Amino acid sequence: MIAASALDLIGSTPLVALDRVWPGPGRLVAKAEFLQPGGSVKDRAARAILLAARRDGRLAHRTPVVEMSSGNMGAGLAVACAVLGHPLFVAMSAGNSPERVKMLEGLGAAVVLVPQVDGVPGQVTGADVEAAAVAARDLAKETGGFYVDQFNAVEGIAAHEQTGIEILEQAGRRVDAWVAAVGSGCSFVGVARRLRAANPATRCMVVEPEGSRPLAGETVRKARHMLQGTGYGRTPPHWDASLMDASIAVSDEEAVHWRNRLAHEEGLYIGYSAAANVCAAVKLMKSGKLRPDALVVTLLCDTGLKY
Ligand SMILES: Cc1ncc(COP(=O)(O)O)c(C=O)c1O
């Protein structure tokens, strides 16, 4: 089969078993989102938001596209903008890894780096992200561009309902638990919605960085953490609390440990949020709260090449 363009390489990612790091009881499998052309889970939302805006006339032919991004949404947008013929401007916190700037610029995007407010390089806080969002809104005004606004756009969740449909088809059986970290929340919410519709008993577990757990109802004590792209210390605008059973905390040390294990034992070179997802899924499977033959699904959000 010949894909018509890079846009058609987005989605339909495989599920991969993590039998070497979790030999059982039960089975842990992960959706390999790092295989998409922009290298992350965000490609799905990027494509969905741009195609919807073009369809309903909010995004005209050749009009610039503008977004605030930790790098992954930017890369997804850069892929889609290249194919669809839109110039792209990305405002990004300077705390995100330089590899992301390289990739974005390589894909033809213009990157504006926004100084950090209270984070440090490699650890981007909610305040850093808000500063980047302000810069992006200014850029949209200056360029007359379409502001993507990933946190408020509704198309991202619909795009991830498709991820949920794929998981159900690929698993071919009852899914007992779904485990994922939250940035905009689109991937957690979209997938949880579909899995719960198929099996209301599916346990949907959020992953939050230790010390920054508003979804668990905790006051944020430590805004800085390594799980880039997630854990911004605030509840996303389209959050649906009815889909969350509980939150699992993961420390930076655990994320580093699991990132190494996934690389060395599974041959999967992925980022920190993906490693945190696997760490949290293993904690859930060790908890004894699931049936012995449970199938747990998590997300490998992005490639390790971006760090
Ligand atoms: C590395 C990484 N992991 C996880 C996520 C979370 O995805 P979502 O925005 O769907 O919650 C993001 C979002 O940007 C990300 O960049």
Side-chain angles (χ1 to χ4, degrees), residues 212-250:
S212 182
R213 305 182 61 212
L215 301 174
E218 287 183 6
T219 312
V220 176
R221 287 180 281 111
K222 180 179 165 289
R224 293 180 188 176
H225 58 79
M226 292 174 73
L227 312 191
Q228 279 183 46
T230 75
Y232 293 125
R234 53 195 68 176
T235 303
H238 295 300
W239 187 242
D240 181 348
S242 73
L243 292 171
M244 170 185 142
D245 287 295
S247 156
I248 300 173
V250 174

Side-chain angles (χ1 to χ4, degrees), residues 34-202:
F34 66 92
L35 293 176
Q36 305 196 75
S40 95
V41 64
K42 300 301 290 194
D43 284 19
R44 294 177 189 257
R47 177 179 65 179
I49 294 169
L50 292 193
L51 290 182
R54 280 165 64 95
R55 262 195 313 272
D56 64 22
R58 285 174 293 145
L59 174 58
H61 189 60
R62 303 271 171 215
T63 298
V65 170
V66 182
E67 179 58 328
M68 173 283 296
S69 170
S70 66
N72 279 333
M73 184 63 166
L77 289 168
V79 168
C81 284
V83 174
L84 298 170
H86 296 281
L88 173 65
F89 297 86
V90 177
M92 193 165 118
S93 169
N96 291 297
S97 60
E99 287 79 358
R100 292 163 189 237
V101 182
K102 245 195 212 166
M103 179 172 184
L104 281 168
E105 290 179 343
L107 282 161
V111 179
V112 176
L113 281 180
V114 181
Q116 289 189 275
V117 180
D118 58 356
V120 292
Q123 302 188 3
V124 177
T125 67
D128 295 337
V129 166
E130 191 40 48
V134 170
R137 284 193 286 266
D138 288 348
L139 257 178
K141 269 189 215 135
E142 270 167 43
T143 59
F146 167 73
Y147 182 42
V148 174
D149 201 3
Q150 58 173 304
F151 281 84
N152 290 298
V154 289
E155 294 87 358
I157 291 178
H160 281 294
E161 289 197 32
Q162 176 58 31
T163 314
I165 292 170
E166 290 173 20
I167 289 170
L168 289 166
E169 281 172 5
Q170 292 166 333
R173 55 158 282 188
R174 184 195 69 242
V175 174
D176 295 283
W178 159 240
V179 181
V182 172
S184 70
C186 292
S187 46
F188 178 87
V189 169
V191 172
R193 202 163 270 163
R194 285 297 175 157
L195 298 187
R196 279 272 188 86
N199 171 20
T202 304

Side-chain angles (χ1 to χ4, degrees), residues 202-215:
T202 304
R203 294 173 83 95
C204 297
M205 313 296 281
V206 158
V207 180
E208 290 186 291
E210 211 169 80
S212 182
R213 305 182 61 212
L215 301 174

